[in-house]
């Protein structure tokens, strides 16, 4: 069985990415390892008193993201594809690459919004970073309009 790591960010193109990954997995008799990496600073806010940490905000956000991840996992399983999920906090690139190695991934499937240039300078591109650092083949799917 082919192991596919599928990072998701719950953005507006996540559905399109998941549907494409399902088709890919079906063609290869693949198993999908769904992963979402939440930022480490979810519970922090800047207010009148400077930086403040709100653990309840972080807990609520993580709980909501876990619900979303479970829904995606169930959609994948409904297509008769083995699937399991992982939600972690930290640096997305490092966690995704580590997870792919742990799961003996044959592919990492990611989406590309088609942005480049100045956007990458200021924001960075997770897909670009993973394709440059991964020893595992990365399938980049166009998910822009």
């Amino acid at each position: 069985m082919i192991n596919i790591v599928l990072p998701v960010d719950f953005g507006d193109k996540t559905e399109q990415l998941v549907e494409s990954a399902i088709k890919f997995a079906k063609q290869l008799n693949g198993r999908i390892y769904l992963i979402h990496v939440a930022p480490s600073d979810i519970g922090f806010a800047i207010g009148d008193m400077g930086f403040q940490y709100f653990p309840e905000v972080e807990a609520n956000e993580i709980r909501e993201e876990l619900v979303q991840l479970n829904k995606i996992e169930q959609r994948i399983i409904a297509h008769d594809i083995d699937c399991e999920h992982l939600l972690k906090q930290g640096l997305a690139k490092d966690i995704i690459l580590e997870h792919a190695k742990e799961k003996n991934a044959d592919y990492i499937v990611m989406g590309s919004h088609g942005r480049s240039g100045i956007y990458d300078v200021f924001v960075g591109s997770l897909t670009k970073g993973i394709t440059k650092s991964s020893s595992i083949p990365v399938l980049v799917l166009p998910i822009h309009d």
Side-chain angles (χ1 to χ4, degrees), residues 18 27 43 65 73 78 91 102 108 113 125 133-134 143:
V18 170
Q27 290 173 347
E65 290 177 348
E73 178 185 34
L91 298 174
E102 287 173 4
I108 300 171
H113 295 283
S125 169
S133 302
S134 180
I143 56 170

Side-chain angles (χ1 to χ4, degrees), residues 5-134:
V5 169
L6 177 62
V8 294
D9 64 2
F10 308 128
D12 60 342
K13 300 295 181 180
T14 297
E15 296 295 318
Q16 188 177 347
L17 177 62
V18 170
E19 287 303 316
S20 295
I22 287 170
K23 289 177 188 174
F24 184 63
K26 280 186 172 245
Q27 290 173 347
L28 298 176
N29 188 31
R31 171 187 297 124
I32 294 179
Y33 293 98
L34 191 60
I35 183 169
H36 173 70
V37 182
S40 298
D41 60 355
I42 292 176
F44 287 94
I46 301 174
D48 295 339
M49 299 173 68
F51 277 104
Q52 293 181 290
Y53 175 64
F54 299 95
E56 64 280 357
V57 170
E58 182 176 68
N60 286 337
E61 184 68 26
I62 293 294
R63 199 169 13 260
E64 288 175 22
E65 290 177 348
L66 193 53
V67 166
Q68 288 180 289
L69 205 54
N70 281 322
K71 285 180 182 176
I72 295 171
E73 178 185 34
Q74 292 309 309
R75 266 191 42 227
I76 293 168
I77 290 170
H79 286 274
D80 293 323
I81 297 169
D82 288 341
C83 184
E84 64 181 59
H85 70 269
L86 175 69
L87 188 149
K88 285 186 98 171
Q89 282 184 275
L91 298 174
K93 183 182 93 170
D94 297 340
I95 291 172
I96 291 166
L97 290 172
E98 177 184 309
H99 187 60
K101 284 181 185 171
E102 287 173 4
K103 295 301 181 181
N104 295 315
D106 296 290
Y107 295 95
I108 300 171
V109 174
M110 300 192 68
S112 171
H113 295 283
R115 298 181 184 122
S116 62
I118 201 77
Y119 177 82
D120 284 346
V121 171
F122 290 108
V123 178
S125 169
L126 179 59
T127 300
K128 185 177 182 179
I130 287 180
T131 56
K132 289 177 95 173
S133 302
S134 180

